[in-house]
Structures are given as C-alpha cells and as structure tokens.
Amino acid sequence: MQLTLLALILALLAVIGFMTGRSRAAASVGGRVAELHSVPSYHGVYVALWAGLPALLLFVAWTASEGWLVLQLVLSSLPERLTTGDGQSVALLKADILNIARGIATGREPDPLVQDAARRYAELRDLADWSLLAVGASLAVAGLGWGRHRIGPDLRARPAVERVVRVALVICSMVAILTTVGIVLSLLFEALRFFTVVSPLDFLFGTHWSPQMAMRADQVGSSGSFGAIPLFAGTLLITVIAMLVAVPVGLMAAIYMSEYAGRGVRTWLKPALEILAGIPTVVYGFFAALTMAPFVRSVGEALRLDVSSESALAAGIVMGVMIIPFVSSLSDDVINAVPQSLRDGSYGLGATKSETIKQVVLPAALPGIVAAVMLAVSRAIGETMIVTMASGLTANMTANPLQAVTTVTTQIATLLVGDQEFDSPKTLSAFGLGLVLFLVTLCLNMVALRVVRTYREKYD
Amino acid sequence: MTDLVEQDAAAVTPSPASFPGSHGPAKSRVRSEAFARRLRARHAAERRFRLAGAAAVALAALMLVVLLGSIVAKGSTAFWEARIRLEVTLDPAEVAERNYAPILRRALHAQFPQVTDRAGKRVLNDLLSSGAPYELEAMVAKNPALVGTTLTVWVRADDEIDQLVKGRYRRDLPESERGLSDAKIAAADALLASGALAQGFNTTLFTAGDSREPEQAGIGGAIVGSLLTLLVTMALSVPVGISAAVYLEEFAPKNRWTDLIEVNINNLAAVPSIIFGLLGLAVFLGFFGMPRSAPLVGGLVMALMTLPVIIISARVALKAVPPSIREAALGIGASPLQTVLHHVLPLAMPGILTGTIIGMARALGETAPLLMIGMVAFIVDVPHGLTDSATVLPVQIYMWADSPERAFTERTSAAILILLGILILLNGTAVILRKIFERRW
C-alpha cells in the first residue's frame, strides 16, 4: 500500500517537476526561448529527473534490503536456542516467520515465540515502509526544489539529461550479461553444494540414476544414486531420433522452397511452417502423448514388436516435427545467401538444377547448414515438455527407441516440481543436471554462432 | 563432372547432322544413345530430387494438419456441456440451511418413479455434477424471490454423462471395460429420450478456475494468470530490450566489451528455457524470497527469456533505417540522442513492434520455466494481484493433460485450441503490421 502510494507521489512530483521546469526556463529568459542553452522541455525533464531519480534509487536499494534487514533484527531478538543450530532449522525458522507474517498457514501450531517474532516482523516491515514513504517523498520534494533552483538560461540541461539517458541505456544492455552471470552463478553455486554430497565423477560417469533419498535409515530401495549416464543416453537417443526426422525433412523443405517453389506456393508454405514453429511445446507434448504414442504402439504391435506405451520414438518424432521449421528457416537463409552467380555458372556448364543444388549450392551453404543443425541439436537437448509428457520418467539405458527413456530436462522438471526441501541432494542434483545442460548447449551455440558469423562474411 | 557436362553438350544437340561442324552421323548416333540414356537418368534424378523436396514440404504440412486436426477432433466438443432439466421445489427450510443437494436429488428421483432402492437412487445421484447445488445456490442468491416456488432449472451433468452424450464411451464394450455402468447409461438414455438431458454452451470453461471435477473446471483463472504474467513480462522486457538495442546499435563503440554483450545476447536466445526456470528458482525465489507461483516471478523469468528476442529484432529494425536519415538529423543540429529518439526510433518502431509481439507470443506459450517456480500448483481461485498464486494457460494444459478423466482430455484440447487461437491472433497481427508498415528505402 505504502509502496503504491510512494510510486504515485513520485510520478506526480515528476510531472510537476517537468511542468515547472519548462515554464521556469521559459520565464527566465522572458519567453525568448532561443536564448536558452537547451529547449525548455529539456529543462522540464531535468527537474523531473532530479525529483524522481534519487528517490527511485533509494526506493530500489531500500526494498532490496529491507526484508533481509528486518528479518535479521527480529532474529537477533529471539532467544539463542532458536537461532543457533544447523542451517536447515534456521532456514525453517525464517520461513515460518515470513509465512505467519504474510498470513499463510504453516500447517502446524507454531511456537508462541515464533508467532511473536512474526508479529514484530510485520510491525517492523510496516514501520519501515512508512518511513520509506516519508523519506522518499521528502527526498523527491528536495530534488524538485534543487532542480528548479538550477534552472536558468545558461543551464546545460540537454547534455545533463542525455548523460542520464545514456547511462540508462548502458544499464539496460548490461541486463543480458547480468542474466548470464545470474544463470552461471546460481547453477554453479547450487551444483557445488550438490557435488559436496555426490562426487562429480560418480555423477558424470555413474550408470545408475535413482534420485529418491531414503527418509529413514532402514528404508528399502531409496538409496539415492546419482549416475547421470542413463539420462545422457536417453537425451542422446531422443535427440538422434529428432534429428533423423528434422534434418532431412527440414533441409529438403528449405531447398524446395528456395529453389523450386514459385512465388505463389512460397507465400503459403512459409507462413504454414511458421505456424508449426509458433505452436507451444506443451501442445506438441500433448500430441505426442495422446496421438503419436498410441499410434507408434499400435503400429509396433501390428509388427509384433514390444513397444512400451511411452516410447522414445514417439517423443523423438514429435520433437523432430517441432524442429523442422527451425532447421528449414535457418537453412533457407543460408541457401538464399549463396550468390546467384554460382548457380548461373553451374547452369552455364549444363548442369541440371538438382546437380547445381547438390554440387554447388549445398557445398557453398554447408557451414551455415551445419550451424543450423547444431542449433537444432541444442534445441532438442534443451526441450522439456514433449519428453516430460510423452517419454516417461524411467531412467533406462537403452538404444532401443521403442522403450521409455528419460532425459536431463525431464529429470530437472520432475525433481523440482512439487514440495521439496531445498537442501536435499535430490533437489540439488537438478542444478547439477542444469549445469551440464547449460554447458553443453552453450558450447553448441557458441560453435554454431561462430560458424554462422564467419560464413556470413564470405559473400558480403 | 567435367566430362559429364561435355558429353551433355553433344547429347542435347537434336540432330548432329543439321549443324555445320558437328560430329559425323555414325559416331554421334552411337554416342548419343549412351548420352540419351545418361540424360534420361539425370533428368530422372532431377525429378526424384524435386519430388523429395515436395514430399518434405508435404510431410511438414501433413503433420500440421494431423496435429491441428486431432486436437480439433478431441477438443471441439468441450465448448458444449450436458445439462439436466429438473423441476425443483425450493423448500424455504432447506434453502435457509443452504441444503441444495437434496432438493436437486428429489427433483431427479421424481423423474424416475420406478427407482425405489438405494443403489438405484445412488446411480441417479451420480448423474448430477457435484457442483450443481452451487449453481442452484447462486441462482437463489441472485433472485431470493424464487424461494418457495417450483421452477424448471437446467443444471450441469456429471462429466461421465457429458462424455456419454458426446459419444465418447463405446457402448458395445462390456460393462467392466467401459468404465461406465449400464445402469447409468440406461438412466441417461431415459433422460435423453424425454428431452431432460441436452447440451448447451459451456460457459464454465471460460469463467471457472481449475477443479478436480472436469465439468466444473475452466481456464478463466489460467487466462487471468497468463494476462498478469504477460503484463509483467511486457512492462520489463519491452523498455529494457528497446533501450539495449538502441545503445548497442546506435551508441556503443565497437570493442571487446560490446562484442561480449552481443555474443551473450545471441547465446541467451538459444539457452534452453528450463535453465531460465532454474535461474528464477535460485535467484528470485531462493535469494530474494519472492512468493512461489506468483505472476510477478513468472513475468520476471519470462522477461529475461524474451529479452534477447526483442533486442535482436529491435536491432535488425534499427539497422534497416538508412544512415541518410541520421545524417540529415545530425546535419540540422540534432544531438545523437535526439536523432535516435525523434527520427530513427519512430521509423524502426513497426519492426520493433513485430519482434515484440512475437516475443510475447513465445512467452505466452512457454511452460517449462514456470514449472520450476511453482506455477503448477492446483489453484481454484482466479488471481487478483501480481503476488497471488496463479497458473497460466500452457501450464494448465500440462496439468490437465496428466488427469486420467476422459473429460479432461477434451478440456485440454479445448484449452489448446483457445491458446492456439490467441497465438495465431498475435502472430497474425505481427504479420499484418509487417505488411502495413513494410517500407523499402
């Protein structure tokens, strides 16, 4: 509530700042605007920035740290028997305080001390929010006054405003880097915690995957074994099947569309393929599970083969269909980038169209096509929903496409869906898998992007 | 290759004798037979290759037709639902106790006077949706004058009856394999024959939240959740994405640092979406302690995911604006920033808009990262704010796809149809915008 109020106040003050800045600038030269260094509206923005920006920065810093600070304050006032202990119990205590303060039922009768702490936490948060409102609003008013005071014919408002805008632009372009850093750090941090429990060698080269951890020491069959080779094998199997579908079909479709199809056909085919590309993966997953898998199974039964109801084949074929437009549009681009003079030279020697394509166009486009295929492979490896919905969860180490397999992404999804404690190796193993997935796709993408780049420069 | 082409040149010549300086007729005939054969083979290869290309395109198109066809076939019936007509008498005492189920049951039993045993009555009770009493309650709440009167109402039937009416149960199967008892079918048939069981437009599908009972489940909550999530995504990724594109395309010096940013953006565009979910889980939920299942977090994750798409397409659009425009603006004394804001950006806006719409469409269809941040929770209520628990349309589809009830298959397909409809609308808008604003310099 207070935060919304503050946002409103800031917006209002910024608007007021813009108006007064503009009118004051015009007034300072008696309406002869040409005598100003900058156009009046830049003066307006200048004042608005002074009014809004410092308060906004304070607001961001405050809200980012407030919850943590208040929680520490509350924790320090609690008796030591609650706050000392292993990391897990403290984390639980924190979660309890936060949940009670937010009014979420925790499912068990909480300690009166904890309830007390939660009440204090809520009060302190409220107090902090109100003081933020007061401090923020006064800062904004002060900024407004200061900016207004600075307005004059000689004020270099435009360069000042432009400096701020440029800094904002740079910050925006850094978000991409920050995202990557965030991904790497979060994966690495959690994965390292996992690797303190399970050795990386066991993880990468073990052949038994069964992430269920024993709840009790005497429990049977939940040893918690984290050998990821079956997952890698499953991922590989499905990727290979998908590529066997997507690469020939996608490539031939691209060749047909760029070399043979007339304008009229192209205008219809391209959007149709784009529709295929725009269908959400969950839809493909549903299709794979409910239409393709039974179909594969009944065909297999007609051939007297033993097909499991969730087969790698069904998931792989549907994933291949999903990737067709990806391969075809990328290949289409590189095929179109091959200069016409190469084709004309080939025709001039009497080669037929298909000979020209096979012996001139494709070799010239090969690096680009290879890059497209690599990007497609990286997509197939990273695809989650189709496999989750259509290929089951059994970690099978098999090369038989008629059996159910599981993949890295599927395991990540199933390990982290639902309620689970954050510290168990079972949960953390998902981050280990995520790290492997990220590194593999990163390498594929890097190489592919580099190939595309060097290749593009050839004909430019 | 070389000799092939040489021979062809001779083979194509129709009648060697008619050209001066050609080979002798006898020698040529011998060679031309071999050449003709080879040429036929080459032309056949040409035809085969072309056919393979056409077959590939046809296969892709066929898959599209099969995919859409199977979903339409499964889902189109979900837009209707079976309802049962009852003559209810609203006894004031029962209404006061909000005891609507017996009222409905009595009205239903009245239509089957021959059924007197408990088992038979239980079969009849099962014909009605467990949500039917609430429908009646809502009706009374809206119009309290109804209490004490007898009126005709249409209430929802149970999902099994709904599926039976739509012909999704095979009546020729033995009872044990069918999953629906003969007694229920007989009762439903009797109702059908008397016109007391009929299909009406399914408004529940659009307005209700999730439910364990298929006939009461709807995508209303998921649509609101999707909207809220998309709102957050758009509010963050569009301004940041455009700003980043403007900086990189118009102001950034060409050095290692900007090169790094560029490689980074291209890489991010190809990072598997589930990795973004892991990021959201570890950073937004784990580190910042934001609420689980909230559209706010979902929107944040989606914003990071769509950002590279928007940046890349915005850069392409900015690049397409010819340098002469910039030079003209700079020439009359505009600052570089004014040049961009007043001239380049407005001209690039249609292209940027197209990229943005495509990015939003992708965010709307994404599922995997949202599973990570807990948007798979079973949520009945329609969310009201950015921090409420919510789910989104693709995740709702995923959850329904897992449900064993037959009627959920139908509803999943219907939800997919609605999602695809929205996506085609979005992408269509992007295509039309591109067509309208397409400009050749």
Side-chain angles (χ1 to χ4, degrees):
Chain A
M1 212 280 287
Q2 294 92 329
L3 304 189
T4 328
L5 198 60
L6 182 62
L8 280 177
I9 292 176
L10 285 191
L12 187 70
L13 282 176
V15 171
I16 293 175
F18 179 77
M19 307 285 243
T20 55
R22 200 172 55 172
S23 59
R24 195 177 154 90
S28 70
V29 286
R32 293 180 302 279
V33 178
E35 286 173 21
L36 285 169
H37 171 271
S38 310
V39 185
S41 54
Y42 271 106
H43 287 86
V45 177
Y46 180 83
V47 180
L49 281 177
W50 265 114
L53 208 53
L56 195 69
L57 291 179
L58 173 82
F59 173 75
V60 169
W62 190 305
T63 40
S65 55
E66 178 188 308
W68 184 81
L69 276 176
V70 171
L71 190 59
Q72 291 305 319
L73 211 63
V74 170
L75 282 181
S76 67
S77 69
L78 280 176
E80 247 176 53
R81 71 175 169 86
L82 282 175
T83 50
T84 48
D86 53 346
Q88 206 162 344
S89 66
V90 175
L92 197 65
L93 177 70
K94 284 181 187 170
D96 273 355
I97 293 178
L98 291 183
N99 280 339
I100 298 169
R102 283 195 195 118
I104 304 170
T106 46
R108 63 202 134 78
E109 195 51 44
D111 195 322
L113 267 175
V114 176
Q115 268 182 328
D116 219 34
R119 209 172 307 121
R120 206 157 50 246
Y121 174 81
E123 282 167 14
L124 280 174
R125 281 298 294 251
D126 208 39
L127 183 71
D129 282 344
W130 280 113
S131 38
L132 170 63
L133 178 65
V135 175
S138 30
L139 195 62
V141 170
L144 181 73
W146 170 248
R148 193 170 171 277
H149 167 73
R150 298 274 315 254
I151 297 289
D154 296 329
L155 176 71
R156 301 170 67 81
R158 185 180 55 74
V161 169
E162 289 193 347
R163 259 199 309 280
V164 174
V165 173
R166 274 207 186 204
V167 169
L169 291 183
V170 174
I171 291 174
C172 285
S173 66
M174 303 250 284
V175 171
I177 297 232
L178 283 181
T179 309
T180 309
V181 171
I183 288 175
V184 171
L185 283 186
S186 60
L187 289 180
L188 214 58
F189 187 65
E190 305 281 330
L192 282 179
R193 281 169 67 192
F194 171 63
F195 287 135
T196 55
V197 185
V198 176
S199 119
L201 289 178
D202 287 351
F203 175 67
L204 287 176
F205 301 109
T207 54
H208 184 63
W209 178 264
S210 134
Q212 283 307 324
M213 291 298 277
M215 300 289 226
R216 304 185 310 268
D218 56 341
Q219 207 167 343
V220 190
S222 355
S223 49
S225 169
F226 295 95
I229 290 283
L231 308 189
F232 300 150
T235 310
L236 192 69
L237 178 64
I238 288 195
T239 306
V240 166
I241 297 169
M243 287 301 121
L244 286 179
V245 174
V247 173
V249 177
L251 194 57
M252 285 312 287
I255 290 171
Y256 185 80
M257 285 208 300
S258 60
E259 302 285 326
Y260 286 108
R263 267 187 85 92
V265 182
R266 263 182 85 105
T267 49
W268 284 103
L269 281 183
K270 266 208 114 127
L273 274 180
E274 277 169 14
I275 290 180
L276 214 49
I279 294 176
T281 53
V282 67
V283 177
Y284 282 110
F286 182 70
F287 176 69
L290 257 84
T291 308
M292 194 50 106
F295 175 72
V296 167
R297 198 188 153 99
S298 62
V299 168
E301 270 167 5
L303 297 172
R304 296 175 187 287
L305 291 170
D306 180 30
V307 185
S308 84
S309 64
E310 297 180 318
S311 61
L313 191 61
I317 290 176
V318 173
M319 195 190 281
V321 171
M322 184 195 89
I323 294 175
I324 288 172
F326 190 71
V327 175
S328 81
S329 76
L330 281 176
S331 320
D332 199 36
D333 287 349
V334 281
I335 288 173
N336 279 328
V338 174
Q340 187 60 30
S341 58
L342 289 187
R343 291 187 191 88
D344 291 343
S346 173
Y347 295 148
L349 291 172
T352 62
K353 210 160 190 174
S354 64
E355 284 161 0
T356 305
I357 293 167
K358 278 186 268 189
Q359 306 195 11
V360 177
V361 177
L362 285 186
L366 196 62
I369 291 170
V370 170
V373 171
M374 288 177 76
L375 285 177
V377 168
S378 128
R379 251 193 115 154
I381 293 177
E383 167 48 39
T384 315
M385 298 317 294
I386 295 178
V387 202
T388 307
M389 292 169 84
S391 185
L393 303 171
T394 24
N396 253 335
M397 209 155 70
T398 173
N400 179 2
L402 301 178
Q403 292 209 314
V405 296
T406 192
T407 64
V408 173
T409 48
T410 306
Q411 286 304 316
I412 296 177
T414 46
L415 286 172
L416 290 179
V417 167
D419 289 324
Q420 75 293 99
E421 66 274 57
F422 261 87
D423 281 346
S424 83
K426 182 187 166 192
T427 321
L428 291 175
S429 68
F431 287 91
L433 290 174
L435 188 64
V436 174
L437 177 67
F438 180 71
L439 291 178
V440 170
T441 52
L442 184 74
C443 290
L444 280 170
N445 298 339
M446 288 285 257
V447 175
L449 291 171
R450 179 141 303 173
V451 172
V452 169
R453 235 186 188 186
T454 38
Y455 173 68
R456 284 262 162 81
E457 279 158 12
K458 247 189 197 163
Y459 297 117
D460 272 350
Chain B
M1 178 74 206
T2 323
D3 66 340
L4 240 181
V5 172
E6 234 168 59
Q7 288 161 358
D8 269 350
V12 181
T13 316
S15 155
S18 61
F19 287 94
S22 63
H23 302 289
K27 197 180 163 200
S28 159
R29 204 181 306 121
V30 174
R31 284 180 64 181
S32 70
E33 258 170 44
F35 296 156
R37 209 168 47 240
R38 203 170 286 152
L39 189 62
R40 269 199 305 278
R42 288 176 59 207
H43 281 171
E46 167 75 28
R47 274 194 299 277
R48 278 199 304 275
F49 190 73
R50 189 182 173 140
L51 211 64
V57 172
L59 190 67
L62 180 75
M63 283 318 273
L64 183 65
V65 170
V66 169
L67 179 93
L68 294 181
S70 80
I71 288 169
V72 169
K74 282 198 189 91
S76 53
T77 48
F79 296 104
W80 286 269
E81 62 180 349
R83 298 188 145 260
I84 296 177
R85 188 186 59 202
L86 295 175
E87 298 276 335
V88 294
T89 310
L90 290 165
D91 181 1
E94 275 172 318
V95 170
E97 280 175 28
R98 300 176 60 186
N99 216 355
Y100 291 92
I103 303 182
L104 288 172
R105 274 188 219 139
R106 251 198 326 275
L108 185 62
H109 295 169
Q111 299 198 12
F112 294 89
Q114 75 279 13
V115 177
T116 47
D117 56 323
R118 285 182 64 131
K121 284 188 170 170
R122 197 170 307 135
V123 167
L124 289 182
N125 295 345
D126 284 349
L127 298 183
L128 291 174
S129 159
S130 58
Y134 301 107
E135 275 186 279
L136 194 59
E137 189 176 344
M139 216 179 285
V140 173
K142 206 191 271 174
N143 188 2
L146 292 176
V147 177
T149 61
T150 299
L151 68 161
T152 310
V153 293
W154 286 90
V155 293
R156 241 176 269 142
D158 188 62
D159 60 297
E160 286 181 339
I161 303 307
D162 181 54
Q163 296 296 296
L164 179 74
V165 173
K166 289 168 184 167
R168 301 219 175 241
Y169 279 103
R170 284 184 52 192
R171 286 163 184 259
D172 53 335
L173 285 178
E175 193 173 356
S176 57
E177 286 175 36
R178 199 192 301 121
L180 184 62
S181 68
D182 287 340
K184 268 194 199 174
I185 292 185
D189 281 346
L191 285 174
L192 267 177
S194 67
L197 176 59
Q199 295 192 54
F201 185 70
N202 188 354
T203 47
T204 324
L205 181 67
F206 295 94
T207 53
D210 199 3
S211 169
R212 299 266 182 242
E213 301 291 329
E215 76 274 7
Q216 296 172 43
I219 54 166
I223 284 184
V224 175
S226 274
L227 272 179
L228 291 173
T229 308
L230 219 54
L231 209 68
V232 175
T233 306
M234 207 147 74
L236 290 169
S237 67
V238 173
V240 172
I242 295 177
S243 307
V246 164
Y247 175 73
L248 291 174
E249 199 56 43
E250 304 287 334
F251 298 114
K254 195 88 186 106
N255 58 24
R256 297 186 67 141
W257 179 238
T258 49
D259 220 41
L260 180 73
I261 296 183
E262 198 170 334
V263 170
N264 222 303
I265 289 169
N266 284 331
N267 256 324
L268 271 186
V271 165
S273 58
I274 197 164
I275 299 277
F276 284 95
L278 288 178
L279 170 78
L281 178 63
V283 174
F284 297 134
L285 297 190
F287 190 72
F288 288 116
M290 292 183 183
R292 263 172 93 84
S293 306
L296 178 67
V297 183
L300 272 169
V301 170
M302 290 297 174
L304 293 182
M305 224 184 75
T306 50
L307 198 59
V309 180
I310 294 179
I311 295 179
I312 290 171
S313 65
R315 287 191 69 174
V316 171
L318 286 170
K319 212 178 271 174
V321 177
S324 56
I325 304 251
R326 296 183 185 84
E327 283 154 16
L330 292 172
I332 56 167
S335 73
L337 194 70
Q338 282 172 323
T339 306
V340 171
L341 290 183
H342 298 175
H343 302 277
V344 180
L345 207 52
L347 287 171
M349 220 51 205
I352 296 177
L353 210 62
T354 324
T356 306
I357 294 175
I358 288 171
M360 288 303 124
R362 200 191 262 189
L364 182 63
E366 195 56 68
T367 319
L370 299 181
L371 302 184
M372 304 284 95
I373 56 163
M375 289 189 97
V376 273
F378 174 75
I379 290 150
V380 179
D381 298 327
V382 175
H384 292 291
L386 291 180
T387 49
D388 284 3
S389 287
T391 190
V392 296
L393 209 40
V395 178
Q396 185 73 73
I397 290 169
Y398 169 66
M399 283 156 69
W400 281 358
D402 258 1
S403 302
E405 282 97 341
R406 215 172 275 245
F408 267 125
T409 307
E410 181 195 65
R411 275 167 179 73
T412 313
S413 305
I416 287 176
L417 286 178
I418 294 166
L419 177 64
L420 285 182
I422 299 173
L423 287 179
I424 289 174
L425 208 69
L426 277 177
N427 286 320
T429 316
V431 171
I432 290 168
L433 278 179
R434 201 185 312 168
K435 278 262 177 325
I436 292 177
F437 292 108
E438 199 170 44
R439 192 192 284 224
R440 296 239 168 246
W441 303 92

